Amino acid sequence: MIFILPVVQLLVLSFAATFDIKSIRIHIVNQDHTSVSRTLIQKYQSSPFYKISGYSESYKEAEYQLRTNKTDVVLIIPKNFEKDIIKENAAPLQFIVNAINSSAAGIIQAYSFSIAMDFNKNFVEQKSGVTITEPFNINYSYWYNPELNYKTYMVPGILVLLVTIISMFLSAMNVVKEKEIGTIEQINVTPISKFQFLLGKLLPFCFIALFELALGLTVARFVFNIHILGSIPLIFGVTLVYVVAVIGLGLFISTLTNTQQQAMFIAWFFMVVFIMMSGLFTPIDSMPNWAKNLNVINPIAYFIKIIRMVILKGSGFSEISKEFYALLIYAFCSMSFAVVRYRKKN
Amino acid sequence: MKAFIGFIIKEFRHIFRDYRTMVILFGMPFVQILIFGFAITTDIKDANIAILDQSHDQETRQIIQKLVSSGYFKLASSIKNENEIPEVFKQGNIKLVVIFEKNFASNLEKDHKANIQLLADASDPNTAKLLTSYASNIISDYQREMYRELRLPYQLNPEVKMLYNEEMKSVYMFVPGIITILLMLISAMMTSISIAREKELGTMEILLASPLKPLQIIIGKVIPYVFISFMIAIIILTLGVTVFGMPIIGSLALLLTESLLFIIMALSLGIFISTVSKTQQVAMMISMFALMLPTILLSGFIFPIENMPLPLQLFSNLMPPRWFIIIIKDIMLKGSGIEYIWKETLILVGFAVLFIFLSLKKFKIRLA
């Protein structure tokens, strides 16, 4: 269970986590019915990004489509559109976007406008016979991921997540379980020191987590075809330090609590906060300053940054050293807390 | 009936006397919604950019000024030549490099053509795309301003109206998702753990030996949690409205009823999980692994479902949070009434009935 589930999740969830907009559904309210408006509609029809989800005569009907999520954007071509553009030299055109998802709405607006402007440019060139040249020529290039494949970005992140969840929960539940069942008393009467005891708890979890990582990297390489640009020993080295930090945190929680239910809720709380703040799903750069500062105590944020840099950009030790040392300190502190807090006698 | 009421009272006491757990239960959602509501956003603000200006003239300075004053970008460093770019990207703080060619202004004057290059670190493809499109929009705006005198005939004036979210706040997208996730996970986890715990400690046997029917035992166990979860739901909704300015355009009564329905669904899922797992640890692993990531990723909370591959879109239909997120958004943001969301409501009812049926069946087998 512990080994298969994460791989299945990696496979499934990596496909789910994408912001790529595949197709935009546009609903058209054409009140003009002229050849110009038809040419404009034609533009949207032929664009690979757009799918026309329907036509209607009135905005009322179109709004119903928006409300029931049958379309993403409504284009309204008003009456006298052709007349206005030719006679008045200015014709209005209205887009109504479902903006609940604001970032998607921004992209939809940009695409929709650029098609309209493109149509406008063609129309002007046709009518006046001048070719329009834009003075600034902007080139784009996308490094490390020229096809803008979102999976390349998410797979390393989800891999991190799985390794974290496994080590955090197994360790957080561990000592407290022995407490709840009562077997901890038996261990307490043995001559084993508390440091040795916790170290003994730590090693199997480390092993499981590293194995999980190896499995995940194999899937990333062969299923998702992600080329690991950086050094693999570096990845494993950093992971080892990270796993010790997380397990230390888990064991610390475990020594603090009395029941598995409490341990689980606390572990879950930190997990969810750490995951959401880590930059895995939404970029850290977009967060307010206090949230960025809060990430100083977030081991997942350091680790995701390191893993993405090493796997995707081939960063070496010197580029990740700051984050690495932070993790090292983290591992040391969390293990020491766990050892100090664990008492043989109640 | 008297025995049943006594049982419910016992369950309430059982839960409320463990005040440490109560603090965790009510404190956690409070802190989480505050943190997430503010921190989870995909808006671009003050992104670090580097500039490679090989021209240093009036034009390039103007454009740089436009980029920086837009609020989207922050000039983090100026670099001298192209060899520095890989170094800058590998350090990871700078996401976009803007390159102006040599003799930018004089090229513009002579040939009416000048080159700008936008290099993005696309290891995060979404941010890369947003940054390049914002930057090129700003540059095109500047271009239009400059050449206003060249304004051509036959102008089209596209306008946009952002329906349901005029200010384009990303909390409108995320707060309903956060409410759903918190309710789902807390409700399902609480029940699954509490029943599995009785089994593990052996006290379940005692309950089963009592004259209460299995259905009564399950209902008795769930009622206190319905109460707690509903309180949590109200806390979260209040925070959503007061702190994050989420509107409730539709009917509040409908919203609360739907929340109650969702809570009952999540609790019955929890019961089902506990009937199939022997120990607390197994129950927890299932409610964590089977629930946490899929509810975050497949419910349309962060990643829109329409963008997923078709098999996953179909699979996401099996995720109850997906339907609840639609319901919340429709009621709060669009002001829709039950006539728009009856389908989603029925689906939630269906899930609840299914889980209760399955766990009753399992529960009886154990009795035999």
Side-chain angles (χ1 to χ4, degrees):
Chain A
M1 256 275 272
I2 289 179
F3 294 113
I4 299 168
L5 259 182
V7 174
V8 173
Q9 293 219 338
L10 182 64
L11 286 173
V12 172
L13 299 179
S14 302
F15 282 103
T18 172
F19 282 117
D20 289 345
I21 295 181
K22 271 199 309 206
S23 72
I24 300 169
R25 294 167 302 171
I26 188 166
H27 186 93
I28 291 168
V29 180
N30 190 355
Q31 298 167 330
D32 186 51
H33 299 292
T34 56
S35 69
V36 178
S37 62
R38 271 192 294 273
T39 322
L40 176 63
I41 294 168
Q42 185 62 40
K43 271 267 179 199
Y44 285 94
Q45 215 156 25
S46 57
S47 157
F49 292 112
Y50 281 87
K51 212 171 76 192
I52 295 187
S53 64
Y55 297 88
S56 48
E57 293 299 314
S58 72
Y59 172 61
K60 219 168 168 194
E61 207 177 316
E63 203 210 333
Y64 180 80
Q65 300 285 323
L66 273 176
R67 186 180 280 267
T68 50
N69 269 333
K70 298 259 166 35
T71 190
D72 301 312
V73 52
V74 171
L75 164 62
I76 301 176
I77 306 176
K79 260 193 193 121
N80 305 326
F81 177 73
E82 189 185 70
K83 221 169 81 194
D84 285 348
I85 195 167
I86 293 172
K87 294 246 172 74
E88 312 280 326
N89 276 340
L93 198 63
Q94 203 181 16
F95 294 94
I96 294 160
V97 185
N98 175 359
I100 289 181
N101 181 350
S102 56
S103 66
I107 293 173
I108 291 172
Q109 179 197 352
Y111 280 178
S112 305
F113 273 28
S114 80
I115 289 183
M117 295 323 285
D118 205 38
F119 161 81
N120 197 190
K121 194 177 149 202
N122 288 346
F123 186 79
V124 172
E125 283 178 352
Q126 220 176 25
K127 280 275 171 197
S128 58
V130 231
T131 17
I132 302 167
T133 48
E134 309 230 310
F136 294 145
N137 179 25
I138 306 173
N139 286 317
Y140 305 95
S141 54
Y142 295 108
W143 283 31
Y144 308 115
N145 187 358
E147 288 152 29
L148 293 176
N149 184 348
Y150 209 66
K151 282 196 274 299
T152 315
Y153 182 58
M154 285 314 290
V155 168
I158 292 180
L159 182 61
V160 165
L161 206 58
L162 296 172
V163 170
T164 313
I165 294 179
I166 288 256
S167 15
M168 179 87 158
F169 283 114
L170 286 182
S171 56
M173 298 290 272
N174 191 282
V175 178
V176 71
K177 185 181 182 184
E178 300 221 27
K179 265 196 230 169
E180 213 173 42
I181 299 178
T183 47
I184 198 112
E185 310 275 316
Q186 289 160 21
I187 290 170
N188 284 347
V189 296
T190 61
I192 192 169
S193 77
K194 54 185 191 177
F195 180 70
Q196 285 172 325
F197 171 67
L198 287 178
L199 198 65
K201 294 264 177 216
L202 175 79
L203 284 175
F205 296 138
C206 275
F207 187 74
I208 293 176
L210 287 182
F211 184 75
E212 207 77 72
L213 176 76
L215 212 59
L217 284 177
T218 318
V219 172
R221 175 66 192 85
F222 293 103
V223 180
F224 293 103
N225 206 15
I226 293 171
H227 294 272
I228 299 165
L229 296 180
S231 119
I232 291 182
L234 181 64
I235 296 178
F236 275 88
V238 177
T239 308
L240 186 65
V241 175
Y242 171 70
V243 167
V244 172
V246 172
I247 293 175
L249 202 61
L251 289 175
F252 180 53
I253 292 173
S254 204
T255 54
L256 277 180
T257 47
N258 294 325
T259 63
Q260 292 187 58
Q261 192 170 10
Q262 281 173 2
M264 195 197 66
F265 271 121
I266 295 181
W268 182 79
F269 172 74
F270 281 108
M271 271 307 286
V272 174
V273 172
F274 283 166
I275 291 173
M276 291 309 215
M277 309 274 293
S278 66
L280 174 63
F281 299 123
T282 58
I284 291 183
D285 287 339
S286 306
M287 294 177 188
N289 273 329
W290 61 263
K292 284 182 201 163
N293 294 336
L294 208 62
N295 268 333
V296 171
I297 57 156
N298 184 351
I300 305 182
Y302 293 118
F303 190 51
I304 284 193
K305 193 170 177 198
I306 294 178
I307 287 289
R308 278 183 176 153
M309 282 167 77
V310 175
I311 293 184
L312 302 177
K313 301 193 223 172
S315 300
F317 183 76
S318 59
E319 279 110 11
I320 60 162
S321 61
K322 212 179 90 205
E323 284 80 14
F324 177 78
Y325 289 126
L327 280 181
L328 204 62
I329 295 170
Y330 209 103
F332 180 75
C333 290
S334 67
M335 276 314 282
S336 331
F337 281 144
V339 172
V340 170
R341 188 65 185 70
Y342 173 66
R343 291 195 183 86
K344 278 195 157 195
K345 281 182 211 130
N346 274 334
Chain B
M1 197 59 202
K2 216 174 154 192
F4 179 55
I5 291 169
F7 179 63
I8 291 176
I9 292 173
K10 172 213 153 248
E11 283 298 320
F12 262 105
R13 287 206 180 129
H14 205 97
I15 296 166
F16 283 103
R17 81 172 168 203
D18 182 3
Y19 69 93
R20 217 197 285 196
T21 308
M22 293 304 291
V23 169
I24 299 173
L25 272 182
F26 284 104
M28 257 176 17
F30 195 82
V31 176
Q32 276 178 341
I33 191 146
L34 287 181
I35 295 181
F36 297 158
F38 285 116
I40 299 182
T41 157
T42 45
D43 302 342
I44 302 281
K45 216 185 77 206
D46 290 338
N48 287 320
I49 59 171
I51 302 235
L52 171 52
D53 187 351
Q54 296 164 317
S55 180
H56 288 291
D57 55 43
Q58 186 61 30
E59 286 293 326
T60 63
R61 266 194 294 274
Q62 284 274 355
I63 296 173
I64 294 168
Q65 173 59 32
K66 284 272 170 211
L67 287 173
V68 175
S69 63
S70 67
Y72 295 124
F73 303 107
K74 204 170 74 191
L75 186 57
S77 78
S78 292
I79 48 182
K80 297 277 173 302
N81 65 62
E82 290 188 23
N83 302 334
E84 288 175 53
I85 298 171
E87 190 55 36
V88 159
F89 276 154
K90 275 190 184 177
Q91 276 166 2
N93 291 324
I94 284 164
K95 298 290 189 303
L96 181 73
V97 177
V98 183
I99 305 177
F100 296 100
E101 64 175 350
K102 279 198 185 96
N103 310 321
F104 190 86
S106 58
N107 283 350
L108 202 60
E109 207 171 327
K110 263 196 304 203
D111 312 331
H112 299 288
K113 203 117 200 95
N115 288 312
I116 301 171
Q117 205 179 3
L118 300 177
L119 288 185
D121 172 357
S123 59
D124 175 353
N126 193 49
T127 306
K129 210 156 134 191
L130 287 174
L131 289 178
T132 51
S133 73
Y134 285 176
S136 73
N137 275 350
I138 293 169
I139 296 170
S140 319
D141 277 351
Y142 172 68
Q143 172 177 290
R144 223 167 295 144
E145 246 171 65
M146 256 173 64
Y147 292 86
R148 187 157 294 178
E149 67 271 20
L150 286 179
R151 216 180 143 121
L152 294 148
Y154 315 123
Q155 279 298 308
L156 211 57
N157 299 327
E159 288 162 22
V160 72
K161 185 177 164 203
M162 293 295 177
L163 204 61
Y164 309 125
N165 184 3
E166 274 169 39
E167 290 157 61
M168 308 267 285
K169 291 187 190 165
S170 60
V171 286
Y172 281 30
M173 172 75 175
F174 293 126
V175 169
I178 295 169
I179 296 173
T180 311
I181 302 275
L182 287 177
L183 282 184
M184 174 85 186
L185 293 180
I186 290 180
S187 317
M189 265 194 305
M190 279 193 308
T191 34
S192 66
I193 287 280
S194 79
I195 298 183
R197 182 191 192 173
E198 301 239 16
K199 272 198 219 167
E200 205 175 313
L201 297 178
T203 47
M204 201 57 170
E205 314 261 312
I206 303 171
L207 276 184
L208 289 180
S210 73
L212 290 169
K213 293 195 189 82
L215 184 66
Q216 287 180 317
I217 294 181
I218 288 187
I219 292 177
K221 285 234 150 260
V222 166
I223 282 179
Y225 287 115
V226 172
F227 182 75
I228 294 175
S229 303
F230 195 62
M231 295 295 296
I232 293 177
I234 289 173
I235 293 177
I236 299 177
L237 283 175
T238 314
L239 283 177
V241 172
T242 54
V243 180
F244 298 108
M246 291 278 295
I248 302 183
I249 298 173
S251 134
L252 181 65
L254 181 63
L255 183 63
L256 290 180
T257 319
E258 295 280 357
S259 307
L260 194 61
L261 170 66
F262 182 69
I263 288 168
I264 292 173
M265 194 285 310
L267 289 173
S268 36
L269 173 63
I271 297 170
F272 175 62
I273 292 173
S274 69
T275 52
V276 294
S277 47
K278 281 207 184 68
T279 61
Q280 291 184 60
Q281 191 155 7
V282 175
M284 190 207 68
M285 281 312 238
I286 295 179
S287 42
M288 280 293 142
F289 263 112
L291 291 183
M292 185 156 88
L293 285 182
T295 34
I296 292 178
L297 291 179
L298 291 175
S299 63
F301 164 28
I302 298 180
F303 300 102
I305 291 169
E306 306 89 81
N307 302 344
M308 296 174 192
L310 193 65
L312 277 182
Q313 288 194 22
L314 295 177
F315 186 61
S316 77
N317 287 329
L318 297 177
M319 297 288 144
R322 176 192 171 164
W323 306 107
F324 189 57
I325 288 180
I326 296 178
I327 292 176
I328 301 190
K329 282 184 185 162
D330 279 8
I331 297 178
M332 292 182 82
L333 302 175
K334 299 186 186 174
S336 305
I338 186 77
E339 68 273 19
Y340 288 100
I341 51 172
W342 60 271
K343 216 172 67 194
E344 285 81 8
T345 311
L346 272 187
I347 292 173
L348 286 185
V349 172
F351 273 116
V353 170
L354 176 75
F355 291 135
I356 292 173
F357 174 75
L358 285 177
S359 27
L360 271 181
K361 224 174 143 199
K362 271 273 173 197
F363 207 73
K364 268 183 193 152
I365 293 168
R366 298 197 146 264
L367 260 179

